[in-house]
């Protein structure tokens, strides 16, 4: 065969092969494309999120405040104390797109997120890290094979400083006060060193309402749904008054000008001031409660009796001697007007007024009457119950400690003398002894220290805020002593309304 014929045969073969290839491609694409597409669909890779177990929140004895239970075949979050612990633990909620974006790799679209309280504060610790499994599935959802698996990292358990028995007793005592007054109640109990043993804000709610398909607590309260909670704009059960409520402190604040005047050398234990019943400046009158209620005066009194009797005239004159700048600086030194650093979200920093703020905001200059008002915890001064609790602890111990629900606190020395702190304590002992203002606590005379407060607000027709702060000694180390602060919103006199709440739980406090 010559060379020309060989080339012709090869050309024919090449054309044939090309035609075969094209026809095969057309067949596979046109006629068999649907078939291969179905085959591809038969084997899909699916990502399965492996949920971590959320950490448990316990009290200081290991009793659960927030836990995971099996309920109706599902694992759900459960709060056994319901409304009793709501101000502490908060609640969980569905994750929004913004939450998912900010949460990063530790969250996924169907997960729940801490929205308030410790659930929010310690979200990262409690939540853990989700795992994932990549599986090959058939079209009908059957797993054909596991391609890879990363195990989840479970969340950390948290042990708090909370005493759940005390929490229940204080909630009951505040609920009893609510029955009598119809007013909201707040209580904070902390060691001088900052560890918070109890924190109550009423009205409250059952956090289990926020758990999809969850179980209600035996302490569920009156609200039946999240919608009921949200629409109650009068009682505001979701508002944590203990850390977020700003209130005029009234006479519980008098401990601040007392220690300030002693430290600044404006008075000593023997300094006497005559109770005149009232002081008049032009058209303005500044009276003492004893004169206003009973038409009587105390005569000449020192700082010890002034604290025990909560004498306004004494503290007007002390405030005048100190001056507004010293009142402001000592207020801030003792923690007012700034965040306490408590490990709960949503804390308010309160407010300490100054002459500069007053003139800039209202156009009015500061005058002596403003100093008088501030000296007895009135005027523009505002504080949260947690701040008043810490202020009381700082005055009697010389230590300003950050309140903590979890872990230990950091403390700052406010640099006051032990001798002056002892004078304050002597006055506070007198307040809850016969002749003092805290008469519901007279049964514990000599065992505890008190300061009552009755703070005017909102005009003459509004009942005052009812306050009391009580110090319960525990051993020789003052850092272990307890400070109990109770506020009944617009409840009336602190001695008549707030002090009975503490009296109700005092046997337990003394036995701790």
């Amino acid at each position: 065969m010559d060379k020309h014929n060989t080339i012709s045969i090869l050309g024919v073969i090449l054309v044939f092969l090309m035609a075969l290839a094209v026809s095969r491609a057309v067949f596979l694409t046109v006629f068999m494309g649907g078939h291969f597409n179905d085959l591809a669909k038969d084997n899909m890779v699916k990502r399965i999120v492996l949920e971590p177990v959320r950490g448990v929140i316990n009290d200081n004895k290991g009793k659960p405040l927030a836990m995971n239970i099996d309920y109706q075949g599902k694992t759900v979050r459960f709060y056994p104390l319901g409304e009793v612990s709501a101000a502490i633990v908060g609640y969980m909620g569905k994750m929004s797109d913004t939450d998912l974006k900010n949460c990063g790799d530790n969250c996924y679209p169907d997960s729940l997120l801490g929205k308030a309280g410790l659930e929010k504060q310690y979200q990262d610790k409690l939540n853990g890290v989700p795992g994932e499994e990549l599986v090959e599935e058939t079209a009908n959802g059957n797993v054909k094979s596991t391609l890879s698996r990363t195990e989840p990292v479970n969340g950390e358990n948290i042990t708090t400083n909370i005493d759940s028995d005390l929490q229940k007793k204080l909630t009951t005592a505040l609920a009893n006060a609510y029955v009598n007054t119809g007013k909201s109640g707040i209580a904070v109990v902390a060691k001088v060193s900052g560890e918070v043993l109890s924190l109550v804000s009423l009205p409250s709610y059952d956090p289990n309402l926020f758990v999809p398909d969850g179980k209600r607590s035996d302490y569920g309260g009156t609200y039946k749904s999240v919608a009921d909670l949200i629409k109650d704009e009068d009682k505001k059960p979701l508002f944590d008054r203990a850390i977020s409520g700003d209130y005029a402190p009234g006479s519980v604040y008098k401990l601040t000008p007392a220690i300030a005047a002693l430290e600044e050398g404006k008075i000593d234990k023997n300094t006497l001031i005559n109770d005149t019943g009232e002081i008049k400046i032009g058209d303005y009158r500044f009276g003492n409660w004893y004169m206003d209620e009973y038409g009587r005066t105390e005569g000449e009194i020192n700082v010890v009796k002034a604290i025990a009797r909560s004498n306004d005239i004494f503290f007007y004159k002390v405030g005048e001697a100190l001056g507004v700048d010293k009142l402001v600086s000592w207020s801030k030194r003792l923690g007012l007007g700034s965040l306490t650093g408590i490990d709960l979200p949503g804390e308010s920093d309160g407010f300490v007024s100054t002459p500069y703020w007053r003139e800039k905001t209202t156009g009015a200059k500061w005058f002596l009457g403003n100093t008088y008002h501030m000296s007895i915890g009135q005027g523009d001064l505002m504080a949260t119950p947690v701040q008043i609790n810490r202020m009381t602890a700082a005055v009697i111990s010389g230590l300003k400690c950050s309140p903590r629900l979890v872990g230990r606190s950091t403390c700052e020395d406010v640099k006051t003398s032990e001798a002056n702190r002892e004078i304050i304590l002597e006055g506070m002992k007198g307040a809850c002894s016969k002749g003092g203002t805290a008469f519901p606590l007279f049964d514990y005379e000599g065992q505890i220290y008190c300061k009552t407060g009755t703070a005017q607000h909102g005009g003459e027709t509004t009942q005052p805020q009812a306050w009391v702060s009580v110090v319960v000694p525990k051993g020789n180390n003052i850092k272990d002593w307890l400070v109990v602060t109770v506020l009944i919103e617009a409840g009336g006199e602190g001695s008549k309304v707030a002090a009975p709440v503490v009296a109700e739980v005092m046997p337990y406090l003394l036995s701790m």
Side-chain angles (χ1 to χ4, degrees):
M1 185 179 293
D2 59 24
K3 182 177 180 181
H4 177 74
N5 291 334
T6 301
I7 292 173
S8 297
I9 293 169
L10 289 173
V12 171
I13 293 171
L14 181 60
V15 170
F16 174 76
L17 291 174
M18 290 178 65
L20 183 64
V22 170
S23 64
R24 173 71 173 169
V26 171
F27 175 77
L28 292 175
T29 304
V30 177
F31 297 101
M32 297 298 290
H35 172 71
F36 283 116
N37 195 39
D38 290 340
L39 288 177
K41 289 179 179 178
D42 283 345
N43 296 284
M44 296 186 296
V45 174
K46 182 178 180 181
R47 176 179 179 265
I48 301 173
V49 174
L50 303 176
E51 295 186 33
V53 177
R54 191 170 180 85
V56 172
I57 303 174
N58 294 316
D59 78 350
N60 60 9
K61 298 182 182 70
K63 298 176 183 177
L65 301 174
M67 60 192 294
N68 309 300
I69 63 168
D70 183 79
Y71 183 64
Q72 297 181 344
K74 292 178 60 178
T75 299
V76 297
R77 198 67 163 168
F78 181 59
Y79 305 93
L81 293 186
E83 67 172 359
V84 171
S85 63
I88 296 167
V89 296
Y91 59 91
M92 304 280 288
K94 291 183 178 180
M95 186 168 295
S96 67
D97 291 339
T98 302
D99 291 331
L100 188 61
K101 180 180 179 181
N102 295 334
C103 202
D105 295 335
N106 288 1
C107 300
Y108 44 93
D110 294 329
S111 63
L112 296 177
L113 183 73
K115 294 287 189 177
L118 294 178
E119 291 280 31
K120 181 176 182 178
Q121 183 76 19
Y122 292 102
Q123 164 67 18
D124 291 342
K125 284 188 176 184
L126 291 166
N127 191 58
V129 181
E132 72 171 19
E133 188 175 47
L134 295 180
V135 298
E136 188 179 12
E137 284 188 340
T138 62
N140 61 8
N142 294 325
V143 176
K144 185 176 181 182
S145 63
T146 299
L147 303 177
S148 67
R149 181 181 175 90
T150 303
E151 296 296 333
V153 178
N154 292 336
E156 295 180 35
N157 295 337
I158 290 177
T159 297
T160 68
N161 300 316
I162 295 298
D163 182 319
S164 59
D165 291 328
L166 175 59
Q167 185 76 11
K168 286 188 281 190
K169 290 178 184 298
L170 265 174
T171 301
T172 299
L174 283 171
N176 291 337
Y178 185 81
V179 169
N180 294 330
T181 65
K183 304 296 184 179
S184 304
I186 306 101
V188 180
V189 182
K191 290 184 178 181
V192 165
S193 56
E195 288 88 345
V196 178
L197 304 185
S198 180
L199 186 146
V200 183
S201 176
L202 293 184
S204 186
Y205 62 95
D206 185 357
N208 295 296
L209 289 171
F210 290 89
V211 180
D213 302 317
K215 176 185 177 182
R216 292 299 302 273
S217 166
D218 291 338
Y219 303 90
T222 59
Y223 296 97
K224 303 302 181 185
S225 68
V226 173
D228 289 342
L229 294 174
I230 295 172
K231 72 182 181 182
D232 192 345
E233 296 182 357
D234 179 32
K235 295 179 181 177
K236 295 181 175 60
L238 293 173
F239 183 55
D240 191 343
R241 293 164 165 83
I243 64 168
S244 303
D246 289 326
Y247 305 94
S251 293
V252 288
Y253 170 78
K254 289 174 180 175
L255 300 178
T256 291
I259 192 69
L262 289 166
E263 288 292 317
E264 296 290 340
K266 301 299 181 181
I267 62 170
D268 59 30
K269 185 178 179 179
N270 298 316
T271 300
L272 297 176
I273 292 175
N274 186 37
D275 173 19
T276 56
E278 62 181 13
I279 297 175
K280 290 185 177 180
I281 303 177
D283 294 333
Y284 296 95
R285 175 187 180 275
F286 303 88
N288 179 42
W289 67 270
Y290 197 41
M291 169 63 78
D292 294 343
E293 290 189 27
Y294 302 104
R296 300 177 65 182
T297 63
E298 306 274 8
E300 290 192 332
I301 56 173
N302 64 3
V303 64
V304 172
K305 186 172 182 181
I307 293 171
R309 296 290 297 161
S310 198
N311 186 278
D312 294 324
I313 301 299
F314 185 94
F315 285 100
Y316 293 149
K317 302 306 290 185
V318 161
E320 183 177 357
L322 277 168
V324 61
D325 291 341
K326 287 296 184 182
L327 274 175
V328 169
S329 64
W330 273 94
S331 296
K332 293 183 176 181
R333 185 167 173 175
L334 294 169
L336 300 180
S338 61
L339 300 177
T340 67
I342 191 171
D343 49 343
L344 284 175
E347 182 187 8
S348 171
D349 53 7
F351 184 71
V352 176
S353 180
T354 65
Y356 173 77
W357 173 87
R358 181 174 175 79
E359 186 168 355
K360 181 180 178 181
T361 305
T362 69
K365 290 188 177 297
W366 189 280
F367 77 113
L368 181 58
N370 299 115
T371 302
Y372 282 175
H373 281 145
M374 186 174 181
S375 300
I376 62 168
Q378 297 280 181
D380 298 314
L381 185 67
M382 303 293 279
T384 67
V386 166
Q387 285 178 323
I388 292 300
N389 186 277
R390 182 171 72 152
M391 179 211 76
T392 305
V395 169
I396 63 106
S397 72
L399 297 172
K400 182 176 67 176
C401 304
S402 296
R404 302 292 296 180
L405 281 82
V406 177
R408 296 295 170 259
S409 308
T410 56
C411 298
E412 175 188 344
D413 186 351
V414 297
K415 302 187 185 307
T416 54
S417 74
E418 184 176 357
N420 286 334
R421 297 195 298 269
E422 288 291 335
I423 293 171
I424 301 294
L425 282 170
E426 187 178 346
M428 293 180 72
K429 181 177 286 188
C432 38
S433 300
K434 290 179 179 61
T437 56
F439 61 86
L441 293 163
F442 286 174
D443 287 345
Y444 305 100
E445 181 174 348
Q447 302 177 64
I448 57 175
Y449 309 89
C450 311
K451 185 68 196 80
T452 56
T454 303
Q456 300 295 332
H457 70 107
E460 294 297 326
T461 61
T462 305
Q463 283 277 79
Q465 315 282 23
W467 289 90
V468 69
S469 266
V470 180
V471 176
V472 184
K474 290 289 177 181
N476 295 324
N477 187 347
I478 200 168
K479 294 178 74 173
D480 293 328
W481 289 18
L482 305 181
V483 179
V484 185
T485 300
V486 170
L487 165 64
I488 307 298
E489 276 190 4
E493 293 184 13
S495 56
K496 292 180 180 179
V497 181
V501 174
V502 182
E504 193 169 332
V505 298
M506 188 55 67
Y508 184 79
L509 291 168
L510 291 172
S511 69
M512 290 173 62

